[in-house]
Amino acid sequence: MFRTALRNVLAHKARLLMTALAVVLGVAFAAGSLVFSQTRSGAAAEHAAAGYDRIAVNVGVDAVPGGGAATGLDERLVSRLAQVPGVAHAAGRVDGSAAVADREGRLLGDGSSHRGSNYAPGPDGTDAAYRFTAGHGPAHDDEIALDAATAAQGGHRVGDRVRIGTGQSAATYRLSGVFASDGHRLTDGGTLTLFTTRAAQRLYAAPGHVQSIELTAKSGTAAPELADRIGPLLPKGASAATGAMLGRIQANLASGDQDTMGQILLGFSLVALFVAAFLISNTFTMLIGRRTRELALLRLLGASGRQVRRILLAESVLVGAASSVLGLAVGTGVAAVLNQALGTAGTPAGPLVLSPATLLGTLLLGTALTVVAAWLPARRAMAIAPVTALTSSETPAPAIARSRRTAVGAVLTAVGVLVVVYGAVGAGSDARTAIGVGTLSAVVGVLGLIPLLARPFVALLRPLLLRLSPVQGVLATRNTTRDPRRTGATAAALTIALALASGLSVLGASASHYLERATTHDFTADYLVKPAVDSARLTAANTKAAATTPGTTVSGLDQSTGYQLGGRPAVLTGVDPAAVGRLMRYDLVSGSLDSLTRGQIAVADYKAEEAGWHVGQRLSVRRGETSGRVTIGAVYRADPQSNLLPSITAADSLIARYDKAPNTHLVLVAADGGASPATYRALTHALGDDPALTVLDRPAVQAEYSGGIGDQLDVFYALLTVAALIAGLGVANTLALSVLERQKEIGILRAVGLDRGQVTRMIRWEALIVGAFGAVLGTVLGVFLGWALGRTLQDTVAGYTLVLPWGRLACGIAVAMAVALLASLWPAHKAARVAVTTATAAA
């Protein structure tokens, strides 16, 4: 049986090429995803743990219960620990945030980590944590050192003056040196600035205090032993941990961040393999249909149905195994290239990780997929009696309304749609689970109904095709409806790809619209000032500084917490009542915003509804030991998720009665002449040219809050192109095999006057019909699922509304039809080259 199967595979290698290519692509995607994610995870873990092997023991301050500020370690403890037997060196560390500006004053660094620390040289004058490639460590308080990547990005050289913002202030320092460091001190894409210990203490701690102490051990001294020795010397609230333990913790955290992307990639690879299954099944169906006489002869010569079925499945095993091996090699190569490319782009590249589970898993997955996809055609072929097979060259299986497949598909579709609708409108906390289950049922059901739906869809297109191409259009419609099961199986791959793409488009467009409305709709100012680094905090001084910019109207959003308003916990936001109406849009439900000038407050509608408050109502207010009463002067519409509009707005003067130092959340600025480069420069200069503060204009604000969604969707669309490519291969394969089956028919058409160009156009019209069918059905399904998932967000994200991105949806359909048209080029070329005499002589 094996020899027979091998001979059959070699005899039909051209027809199986597309199937093998689909398996190669699917397995390559899966293997590449696994190898790439495991490699990146290993590289991230290695990078994060790098340097901890240098540290024997790290002494740090325990977290204070309740989240209060922890007390630093006395700097004299560094000297005492350095005298402990077995300690080679003790270095006190002081860390914080430091934003670095380039020559134009722009913030440097691609990541969110903008770190500052101290340079702590030992007796030999060097700090083992840093390796200087130019210059030396800072020796004076007006000097700094930068990591090599940051210095190169900003164009800074030793001796240059560099502007540094630490969140509290900004100053200019002389660059004394450029260094390289290990991963736990310098994160990917981040920046690291070194100060002298005294300067770092002034910025981040307190004079004479450090935040942690790193101990290196002498040769022959074990880290756990050293930790035990220093334990009695540690003050209350301090603890010691070995570097190995800290390295493992950091490695686990770093690898966990990479796992999410790996899971996303794997999910899309499984979609690609699922799409490939339709191509494989379709190909084997057509091949077995072409070989019904051959298989019947085997059975008449003594082979049992089980033996013939085993031959067919053995063919699928050979094709699947060979394609999987090639796919594994391709995927591993792609993962290696991506890993190296990211390494040269600044992210560390680690050694390629090829785990046995990945190798065996992808090989078995590709082979099993091929066998499963070929099983149903083999089973269907064995259901035909040998005598019947010998007397019939074709065994079409038209889809009829009373068929079992249609009935099952209709039931699954109806149940799936009902479950999805239930999940969207009434499932509560289980909504997404219900939508997931319903989606699976609906998709499987629609795939079962596709053959039945093909006929009415083609009937709708027929009038248009008659007008565009009377002869070729009619022939194309007849050819696609001749075997609707084959047409449906070919279109199914495009349906899945378009359903995912259109569903993502609907969710992305709706989320972008929501975020845009939640930000720029409420934001009528020209500029927004916000911290650029996590540790930076705006203060009233920043608001006053911004107000010195000529021709501007300025107000800070000063958040004050800890209130009891009307007996309820509340957060009040202070604004300048004379300016806020120009800076933010308050859509009033009742009352007047001018009431803020009279010492009253304005309340968001959702807050008022929740508490049962209304305009004119007087409420008790208490913060700490200070209490009073306040009147509600206005109620306005607001989204609880808005980044700007607060839940309760009050005048700065009212806030000052209860809170002398509120937290300035943002600073809003409106320019008399609108946004301009001159105003931007003046505002930036008024803020002290501080790279720790970001000044955003209106387009930048929109990009800040909603641009990430577009970037993520672009990544997902790129991943879905693999599924679309496999779907295109399915169209090409189906048409190619169809051309082989119809050589006699094509020859007759040529004989009665159809020229080669007309034959080519007929095949292309068939491809376009299949592409349009799959694309339209997938788009409708995707929009439905996008609506359902969006409905689950409306309860938690007020203001979320369904937005249909007509342009993207139309583009998706156009791309699917373009893929189908490209897939028809080779089959159309083959059909046009069929010789009239050869075709008419074919049996």
Side-chain angles (χ1 to χ4, degrees), residues 31-53:
S33 300
L34 290 172
V35 172
F36 178 72
S37 61
Q38 291 171 357
T39 299
R40 300 303 300 162
S41 180
E46 182 180 354
H47 183 69
Y52 281 104
D53 55 350

Side-chain angles (χ1 to χ4, degrees), residues 1 92 101 219 234 238 303 313 334 351 378 386 399 404 483 503 555 597 633 641 652 685 728 738 780:
M1 285 191 299
S219 178
L234 300 182
L313 294 180
V334 171
R404 182 184 303 175
D483 189 349
S555 177
T597 62
Q641 308 298 324
D652 286 328
H685 184 67
S738 177
V780 172

Side-chain angles (χ1 to χ4, degrees), residues 286-357:
M286 298 175 70
L287 287 178
I288 292 172
R290 291 277 295 175
R291 295 163 56 194
T292 52
R293 292 186 177 183
E294 171 192 334
L295 299 176
L297 282 173
L298 285 175
R299 295 174 66 185
L300 289 175
L301 291 174
S304 66
R306 179 176 299 179
Q307 287 176 315
V308 175
R309 190 183 300 113
R310 286 178 180 175
I311 291 174
L312 296 175
L313 294 180
E315 293 177 21
S316 66
V317 170
L318 290 172
V319 173
S323 303
S324 298
V325 170
L326 183 57
L328 177 61
V330 172
T332 303
V334 171
V337 171
L338 288 176
N339 181 51
Q340 192 59 39
L342 288 179
T344 57
T347 305
L352 211 61
V353 177
L354 296 173
S355 67

Side-chain angles (χ1 to χ4, degrees), residues 195-271:
F195 303 87
T196 63
T197 297
R198 185 168 59 182
Q201 288 172 337
R202 184 177 67 250
L203 292 170
Y204 305 130
H209 286 77
V210 297
Q211 295 167 338
S212 64
I213 303 172
E214 295 177 355
L215 304 179
T216 55
K218 291 180 180 180
S219 178
T221 303
E225 179 184 353
L226 190 59
D228 292 338
R229 290 179 187 176
I230 68 171
L233 300 178
L234 300 182
K236 184 180 180 181
S239 60
T242 63
M245 179 187 300
L246 295 176
R248 287 193 298 270
I249 293 173
Q250 294 301 318
N252 290 335
L253 292 174
S255 60
D257 293 339
Q258 296 291 327
D259 288 343
T260 300
M261 179 53 69
Q263 291 170 1
I264 293 174
L265 290 173
L266 183 59
F268 278 95
S269 67
L270 293 177
V271 170

Side-chain angles (χ1 to χ4, degrees), residues 450-790:
I450 280 182
L452 183 67
L453 298 175
R455 290 184 184 276
F457 182 83
V458 174
L460 289 175
L461 291 181
R462 185 181 177 89
L464 177 62
L465 294 176
L466 286 175
R467 179 169 298 184
L468 295 176
S469 182
V471 176
Q472 295 87 351
V474 171
L475 291 174
T477 55
R478 290 178 179 175
N479 290 333
T480 43
T481 55
R482 177 183 301 175
D483 189 349
R485 178 173 293 171
R486 177 190 301 173
T487 301
T490 306
L494 284 172
T495 298
I496 295 171
L498 264 293
L500 288 172
S502 55
L504 288 172
S505 295
V506 170
L507 284 175
S510 301
S512 296
H513 178 267
Y514 160 74
L515 288 175
E516 179 181 351
R517 179 175 177 81
T519 53
T520 54
H521 175 268
D522 303 331
F523 177 61
T524 57
D526 296 305
Y527 296 101
L528 181 149
V529 182
K530 60 175 293 188
V533 296
D534 294 338
S535 66
R537 295 291 181 268
L538 292 169
T539 64
N542 297 122
T543 304
K544 292 179 181 179
T548 63
T549 307
T552 59
T553 301
V554 178
S555 177
L557 300 183
D558 301 324
Q559 288 186 345
S560 183
T561 60
Y563 288 85
Q564 286 290 321
L565 186 63
R568 292 173 171 269
V571 176
L572 272 61
T573 300
V575 299
D576 181 352
V580 68
R582 184 183 174 189
L583 302 171
M584 290 194 297
R585 179 181 288 110
Y586 282 83
D587 295 330
L588 294 176
V589 176
S590 58
S592 170
L593 203 62
D594 292 337
S595 61
L596 296 177
T597 62
R598 301 190 296 271
Q600 299 179 353
I601 61 172
V603 181
D605 55 353
Y606 65 87
K607 188 75 174 179
E609 182 179 353
E610 174 189 337
W613 295 339
H614 57 82
V615 170
Q617 184 175 354
R618 287 183 60 80
L619 303 172
S620 62
V621 56
R622 174 182 292 277
R623 186 177 188 271
E625 300 299 324
T626 306
S627 61
R629 298 188 70 81
V630 68
T631 301
I632 299 176
V635 174
Y636 54 90
R637 295 184 181 89
D639 188 332
Q641 308 298 324
S642 173
N643 295 285
L644 293 176
L645 281 181
S647 59
I648 302 174
T649 306
D652 286 328
S653 56
L654 177 62
I655 296 294
R657 301 178 194 173
Y658 301 91
D659 189 356
K660 300 301 181 184
N663 171 44
T664 301
H665 176 50
L666 299 168
V667 177
L668 307 180
V669 181
D672 291 343
S676 67
T679 303
Y680 176 85
R681 288 193 297 269
L683 178 58
T684 303
H685 184 67
L687 291 168
D689 294 315
D690 189 347
L693 302 179
T694 297
V695 179
L696 304 174
D697 58 12
R698 291 182 61 81
V701 170
Q702 182 175 349
E704 176 84 5
Y705 292 107
S706 60
I709 290 180
D711 296 338
Q712 293 174 13
L713 287 177
D714 290 341
V715 173
F716 293 153
Y717 292 147
L719 295 175
L720 285 173
T721 55
V722 177
L725 178 60
I726 295 175
L729 291 176
V731 175
N733 203 27
T734 300
L735 290 175
L737 293 174
S738 177
V739 167
L740 288 174
E741 290 181 350
R742 293 154 47 197
Q743 287 194 12
K744 180 177 180 179
E745 174 188 324
I746 294 172
I748 293 174
L749 291 174
R750 292 286 313 280
V752 298
L754 216 63
D755 59 29
R756 290 186 174 183
Q758 291 174 315
V759 171
T760 298
R761 287 191 291 275
M762 179 185 69
I763 300 299
R764 290 176 180 174
W765 276 119
E766 291 180 29
L768 287 174
I769 292 171
V770 173
F773 179 44
V776 170
L777 189 59
T779 300
V780 172
L781 186 60
V783 169
F784 173 66
L785 297 178
W787 164 81
L789 288 172

